[in-house]
Amino acid sequence: MAKVSVSEAARIAGISRSYFYRKYINTGKLTVEKDKDDKPVIDKSELFRVFGKIQVEDGQGSRTDTPEKDSRIATLEAELALKDELLKGAKDHIADLQQSLKLLAYRPAEPVPESKPNLSEPVPAQEKKGIKLFGLKISWG
């Protein structure tokens, strides 16, 4: 199998490089070899031996997933989209209820009285001014 650097091995294992050194290299759980430039490298088979199933990057830089993971991811994405829709609907409903509550709680400061004539009381007679001229009564006021 291919050999990878310690940093790459730690990334494949999903842990930090310092933790990788402390828990796996310094304790001897992983076999480390030296490459032609005398740099430490780890065989991918060693990573598989210690960590079990590992995610290896394909040539395009993305991790390869199993079909089970792909279907699980699709299911979770669908559930998330449904929950987002339900949450939006609930927020809209809450906004409608708040508006209804405001309308129910609205009360004008004081009702404005309408001026309607009271037809049950007689209208007081007003004194009219006028004169009589040539037999005609002319009044005003």
Side-chain angles (χ1 to χ4, degrees):
M1 277 200 151
K3 297 181 189 297
V4 294
S5 68
V6 174
S7 296
E8 179 69 11
R11 192 191 59 71
I12 291 172
I15 55 179
S16 71
R17 192 171 63 87
S18 61
Y19 185 79
F20 191 77
Y21 263 106
R22 190 171 54 247
K23 292 293 182 180
Y24 296 99
I25 295 176
N26 294 345
T27 60
K29 291 181 182 178
L30 271 173
T31 304
V32 179
E33 302 172 13
K34 300 282 184 176
D35 67 359
K36 63 182 177 185
D37 298 326
D38 205 34
K39 293 182 181 176
V41 291
I42 300 171
D43 197 305
K44 284 186 180 179
S45 63
E46 276 292 297
L47 294 174
F48 183 74
R49 180 184 63 81
V50 173
F51 295 103
K53 188 174 182 179
I54 57 172
Q55 293 181 343
V56 182
E57 287 197 1
D58 59 14
Q60 297 161 348
S62 62
R63 294 185 175 191
T64 56
D65 292 323
T66 62
E68 296 86 24
K69 285 184 182 178
D70 288 341
S71 67
R72 179 70 178 146
I73 288 171
T75 303
L76 292 172
E77 286 174 345
E79 286 179 15
L80 182 61
L82 178 63
K83 287 182 181 181
D84 285 343
E85 275 186 51
L86 290 173
L87 182 61
K88 183 185 179 303
K91 286 181 179 179
D92 290 344
H93 186 66
I94 288 171
D96 289 344
L97 290 174
Q98 287 174 336
Q99 181 65 26
S100 297
L101 193 59
K102 285 179 185 176
L103 291 173
L104 287 173
Y106 172 74
R107 295 179 191 204
E110 253 187 60
V112 178
E114 293 183 26
S115 58
K116 292 183 180 178
N118 189 354
L119 301 177
S120 61
E121 295 179 11
V123 178
Q126 294 180 351
E127 187 178 311
K128 292 184 178 182
K129 298 178 183 176
I131 59 168
K132 220 175 197 186
L133 185 61
F134 303 109
L136 296 172
K137 188 174 182 184
I138 301 174
S139 58
W140 64 85

